[in-house]
Amino acid sequence: MSCFLWDVDAGVKVTEFTEHSGDVMSISIDTNRPNTFVSGACDSTARVWDVRTGKSTQTHTGHESDINAVQLHPNSELGFGTGSDDGTCRLWDMRADTELQVYKHENILCGITSVAFSSTGRLLFAGYDDFHCHVW
């Protein structure tokens, strides 16, 4: 499946990003590095993309179901967070190209629909299918 970069003024597609094998559910654009964005998809992967090449530079695996939400850390060079239908949030390090932490609890049995970092990046908020918000 694909993400698209559009020239809004001209109304034309500029670049297609096609390496996901499932629907793309979320993207987060790096405002510090405008040629970089992160996507999460129903193929259970999160990808870091280079806008200039149209190719992913990193593929992060570990979730066991659809990734519904991705959010870059406020210091985007550090990494990003993801939330999945598997009920876990994960913290990823883009510098080391690895997973740093899995956030889960045995009593949480539903999926995650959204994630957001606090302004300092110390806290990760997760919105769940059961209408609750957990702070990690």
PDB file of all heavy atoms in Angstrom, residues 4-15:
ATOM      1  N   PHE A   4       1.474   9.047  -0.282  1.00  0.00           N
ATOM      2  CA  PHE A   4       1.699   9.930  -1.419  1.00  0.00           C
ATOM      3  C   PHE A   4       2.148  11.295  -0.947  1.00  0.00           C
ATOM      4  O   PHE A   4       1.651  11.802   0.057  1.00  0.00           O
ATOM      5  CB  PHE A   4       0.413  10.110  -2.248  1.00  0.00           C
ATOM      6  CG  PHE A   4      -0.117   8.849  -2.835  1.00  0.00           C
ATOM      7  CD1 PHE A   4      -1.174   8.190  -2.250  1.00  0.00           C
ATOM      8  CD2 PHE A   4       0.442   8.314  -3.985  1.00  0.00           C
ATOM      9  CE1 PHE A   4      -1.669   7.016  -2.781  1.00  0.00           C
ATOM     10  CE2 PHE A   4      -0.043   7.147  -4.533  1.00  0.00           C
ATOM     11  CZ  PHE A   4      -1.105   6.490  -3.929  1.00  0.00           C
ATOM     12  N   LEU A   5       3.068  11.896  -1.684  1.00  0.00           N
ATOM     13  CA  LEU A   5       3.436  13.287  -1.513  1.00  0.00           C
ATOM     14  C   LEU A   5       2.769  14.063  -2.635  1.00  0.00           C
ATOM     15  O   LEU A   5       2.947  13.737  -3.810  1.00  0.00           O
ATOM     16  CB  LEU A   5       4.958  13.464  -1.576  1.00  0.00           C
ATOM     17  CG  LEU A   5       5.468  14.906  -1.520  1.00  0.00           C
ATOM     18  CD1 LEU A   5       5.112  15.558  -0.191  1.00  0.00           C
ATOM     19  CD2 LEU A   5       6.973  14.926  -1.760  1.00  0.00           C
ATOM     20  N   TRP A   6       1.967  15.068  -2.265  1.00  0.00           N
ATOM     21  CA  TRP A   6       1.204  15.848  -3.237  1.00  0.00           C
ATOM     22  C   TRP A   6       1.725  17.265  -3.344  1.00  0.00           C
ATOM     23  O   TRP A   6       2.108  17.865  -2.338  1.00  0.00           O
ATOM     24  CB  TRP A   6      -0.270  15.916  -2.829  1.00  0.00           C
ATOM     25  CG  TRP A   6      -0.990  14.618  -2.942  1.00  0.00           C
ATOM     26  CD1 TRP A   6      -1.089  13.655  -1.994  1.00  0.00           C
ATOM     27  CD2 TRP A   6      -1.703  14.145  -4.089  1.00  0.00           C
ATOM     28  NE1 TRP A   6      -1.816  12.609  -2.478  1.00  0.00           N
ATOM     29  CE2 TRP A   6      -2.212  12.880  -3.753  1.00  0.00           C
ATOM     30  CE3 TRP A   6      -1.954  14.668  -5.352  1.00  0.00           C
ATOM     31  CZ2 TRP A   6      -2.968  12.126  -4.645  1.00  0.00           C
ATOM     32  CZ3 TRP A   6      -2.709  13.909  -6.231  1.00  0.00           C
ATOM     33  CH2 TRP A   6      -3.208  12.659  -5.884  1.00  0.00           C
ATOM     34  N   ASP A   7       1.732  17.811  -4.534  1.00  0.00           N
ATOM     35  CA  ASP A   7       1.895  19.247  -4.751  1.00  0.00           C
ATOM     36  C   ASP A   7       0.482  19.804  -4.692  1.00  0.00           C
ATOM     37  O   ASP A   7      -0.293  19.670  -5.646  1.00  0.00           O
ATOM     38  CB  ASP A   7       2.542  19.529  -6.099  1.00  0.00           C
ATOM     39  CG  ASP A   7       2.730  21.018  -6.360  1.00  0.00           C
ATOM     40  OD1 ASP A   7       1.924  21.831  -5.850  1.00  0.00           O
ATOM     41  OD2 ASP A   7       3.670  21.364  -7.080  1.00  0.00           O
ATOM     42  N   VAL A   8       0.130  20.383  -3.570  1.00  0.00           N
ATOM     43  CA  VAL A   8      -1.242  20.829  -3.338  1.00  0.00           C
ATOM     44  C   VAL A   8      -1.636  21.948  -4.302  1.00  0.00           C
ATOM     45  O   VAL A   8      -2.754  21.961  -4.821  1.00  0.00           O
ATOM     46  CB  VAL A   8      -1.418  21.279  -1.865  1.00  0.00           C
ATOM     47  CG1 VAL A   8      -2.812  21.816  -1.617  1.00  0.00           C
ATOM     48  CG2 VAL A   8      -1.120  20.122  -0.924  1.00  0.00           C
ATOM     49  N   ASP A   9      -0.719  22.863  -4.569  1.00  0.00           N
ATOM     50  CA  ASP A   9      -1.040  23.978  -5.472  1.00  0.00           C
ATOM     51  C   ASP A   9      -1.345  23.491  -6.888  1.00  0.00           C
ATOM     52  O   ASP A   9      -2.299  23.951  -7.517  1.00  0.00           O
ATOM     53  CB  ASP A   9       0.115  24.991  -5.509  1.00  0.00           C
ATOM     54  CG  ASP A   9       0.292  25.708  -4.182  1.00  0.00           C
ATOM     55  OD1 ASP A   9      -0.713  25.879  -3.458  1.00  0.00           O
ATOM     56  OD2 ASP A   9       1.434  26.089  -3.869  1.00  0.00           O
ATOM     57  N   ALA A  10      -0.548  22.550  -7.366  1.00  0.00           N
ATOM     58  CA  ALA A  10      -0.745  22.043  -8.727  1.00  0.00           C
ATOM     59  C   ALA A  10      -1.776  20.915  -8.777  1.00  0.00           C
ATOM     60  O   ALA A  10      -2.268  20.572  -9.851  1.00  0.00           O
ATOM     61  CB  ALA A  10       0.578  21.557  -9.301  1.00  0.00           C
ATOM     62  N   GLY A  11      -2.065  20.329  -7.609  1.00  0.00           N
ATOM     63  CA  GLY A  11      -3.021  19.234  -7.571  1.00  0.00           C
ATOM     64  C   GLY A  11      -2.512  17.953  -8.194  1.00  0.00           C
ATOM     65  O   GLY A  11      -3.289  17.174  -8.742  1.00  0.00           O
ATOM     66  N   VAL A  12      -1.196  17.711  -8.079  1.00  0.00           N
ATOM     67  CA  VAL A  12      -0.619  16.509  -8.687  1.00  0.00           C
ATOM     68  C   VAL A  12       0.187  15.726  -7.652  1.00  0.00           C
ATOM     69  O   VAL A  12       0.776  16.290  -6.729  1.00  0.00           O
ATOM     70  CB  VAL A  12       0.292  16.844  -9.892  1.00  0.00           C
ATOM     71  CG1 VAL A  12      -0.512  17.483 -11.013  1.00  0.00           C
ATOM     72  CG2 VAL A  12       1.443  17.740  -9.487  1.00  0.00           C
ATOM     73  N   LYS A  13       0.239  14.416  -7.860  1.00  0.00           N
ATOM     74  CA  LYS A  13       1.042  13.532  -7.023  1.00  0.00           C
ATOM     75  C   LYS A  13       2.502  13.677  -7.445  1.00  0.00           C
ATOM     76  O   LYS A  13       2.829  13.550  -8.617  1.00  0.00           O
ATOM     77  CB  LYS A  13       0.549  12.101  -7.198  1.00  0.00           C
ATOM     78  CG  LYS A  13       1.306  11.089  -6.399  1.00  0.00           C
ATOM     79  CD  LYS A  13       0.701   9.694  -6.494  1.00  0.00           C
ATOM     80  CE  LYS A  13       0.597   9.239  -7.912  1.00  0.00           C
ATOM     81  NZ  LYS A  13       0.138   7.867  -8.074  1.00  0.00           N
ATOM     82  N   VAL A  14       3.377  13.920  -6.479  1.00  0.00           N
ATOM     83  CA  VAL A  14       4.797  14.099  -6.749  1.00  0.00           C
ATOM     84  C   VAL A  14       5.562  12.790  -6.565  1.00  0.00           C
ATOM     85  O   VAL A  14       6.366  12.409  -7.404  1.00  0.00           O
ATOM     86  CB  VAL A  14       5.394  15.196  -5.835  1.00  0.00           C
ATOM     87  CG1 VAL A  14       6.889  15.331  -6.044  1.00  0.00           C
ATOM     88  CG2 VAL A  14       4.683  16.510  -6.047  1.00  0.00           C
ATOM     89  N   THR A  15       5.300  12.095  -5.448  1.00  0.00           N
ATOM     90  CA  THR A  15       6.027  10.872  -5.122  1.00  0.00           C
ATOM     91  C   THR A  15       5.078   9.871  -4.482  1.00  0.00           C
ATOM     92  O   THR A  15       4.213  10.241  -3.709  1.00  0.00           O
ATOM     93  CB  THR A  15       7.183  11.153  -4.135  1.00  0.00           C
ATOM     94  OG1 THR A  15       7.990  12.217  -4.626  1.00  0.00           O
ATOM     95  CG2 THR A  15       8.057   9.922  -3.943  1.00  0.00           C
TER      96      THR A  15
END
